[in-house]
Amino acid sequence: MTARIEPQMTDEVAVALAQGRPVVALESTIISHGMPWPRNAEVALAVEQAVRDEGAVPATIAVIDGICCAGLSGPQVERLGRDTGVVKAASRDLGACLVKGRTAGTTVSATMRIAALAGIGVFATGGIGGVHRGGDMDVSADLTELSLTDVLVVCAGVKSILDIPRTIELLETLRVPVAVFGTDEFPAFYTPHSGVLAGERFDDPAQIAAARRANRAVGLGTGMLVANPIPVAHALDAAEIGATIDAALAAAEAQGVRGKDVTPFLLGRLNEVTEGQALGANIELVLNNARLAARIAVAEAGAGTWV
Ligand code: PSU
Ligand code: MN
């Protein structure tokens, strides 16, 4: 059996790419495994609109019935949000998903892979995976993919379900450029503050696009991570969410949650325990990231020079 490899695009995405207009990839694990139905589908469509409002074209990426898709219809988004049979696919899972005709929400790593195949260079998400806390060597393939695939990823940093300093260290080892937007501090997802001073500060999306072209010109060959702090008005109290995260981590440990189930378990728990507070912040930061990614993509599309 041969699988179809090339991504299926909506007309809107295909035309924009053919004309060199700005396109922003969006991930779908956040829909299938990161947020509860029906908010997940509403948010997915609102994020697409946020990208359009900034003058770029959104391409939500997923695997539908064994086909990589860049750009989804409304019913496809609904299916990802609602259907309990949707799996979570990292990049290494793609082959099996295509051959077996699965429907999958794509993580950051898989979304980067499909974006690269489609020719989309800028991608917005909420938070990336990273080095988990504790000593069990749970490290997200998102970091590996960032080191190998030339796609720029806008996120709100790394939430403290992970080990933020170790995640930053590993990104350095993997030689992935890390930019922080409008701040000197690497953001911690629900709050702008992690206490970790890391990343190169940029205040202008066009300059991020320029740095990206310069990275390409020196032959770096990696992706690029842009950390965009949650707007202060929507940030959660760091101590409060910190305690909630500690409790969620203890629950995961007690219930023996392992492997790819760890992150969805923790996210679900946070949304539940905070009665939607965490979910509300998550939604706002994803919208904020989509807007910044679109501005970077617009700057890239109109680029003349990188110095
Ligand atoms: N972190 C978040 N929100 C998310 C994820 C991570 O704050 O939605 C999702 C993303 O899709 C990310 C994936 O790529 O979880 C990482 O999963 P793992 O830790 O199993 O690599
Ligand atoms: Mn893992």
Side-chain angles (χ1 to χ4, degrees), residues 27 29 88 107-108 127-129 132 140 142 159 189 263 267:
E27 68 142 306
T29 293
K88 168 184 167 186
T107 65
V108 168
I128 60 160
H132 280 260
S140 177
D142 292 352
K159 67 163 73 88
F189 197 85
T263 301
L267 301 182

Side-chain angles (χ1 to χ4, degrees), residues 132 138-140 259-260:
H132 280 260
D138 184 351
V139 180
S140 177
K260 70 201 286 182

Side-chain angles (χ1 to χ4, degrees), residues 43-66:
V43 171
L45 299 176
V47 173
E48 290 189 350
Q49 190 55 46
V51 170
R52 286 195 185 94
D53 290 345
E54 294 291 338
V57 168
T60 303
I61 287 182
V63 179
I64 305 285
D65 297 325

Side-chain angles (χ1 to χ4, degrees), residues 102-191:
R102 286 189 183 133
T103 294
T106 47
T107 65
V108 168
S109 70
T111 304
M112 289 179 73
R113 198 87 296 291
I114 295 172
L117 285 177
I120 302 168
V122 177
F123 161 27
T125 185
I128 60 160
V131 181
H132 280 260
R133 296 208 229 159
D136 60 355
M137 286 277 292
D138 184 351
V139 180
S140 177
D142 292 352
L143 303 185
T144 325
E145 196 67 47
L146 273 164
S147 74
L148 293 168
T149 298
D150 181 3
V151 170
L152 181 147
V153 181
V154 179
C155 68
V158 173
K159 67 163 73 88
S160 57
I161 58 170
L162 301 176
D163 187 323
I164 299 175
R166 285 204 171 93
T167 301
I168 300 278
E169 282 297 332
L170 189 48
L171 285 164
E172 181 182 332
T173 303
L174 295 171
R175 54 200 265 302
V176 175
V178 175
V180 288
F181 186 65
T183 172
D184 294 310
E185 192 182 358
F186 191 81
F189 197 85
Y190 294 122
T191 112

Side-chain angles (χ1 to χ4, degrees), residues 71-95:
L72 298 179
S73 66
Q76 286 172 329
V77 170
E78 177 170 334
R79 198 172 149 194
L80 286 172
R82 185 173 213 166
D83 198 335
T84 47
V86 177
V87 299
K88 168 184 167 186
S91 45
R92 67 130 183 210
D93 303 315
L94 287 173

Side-chain angles (χ1 to χ4, degrees), residues 10 226 245:
T10 55
V226 178
I245 285 170

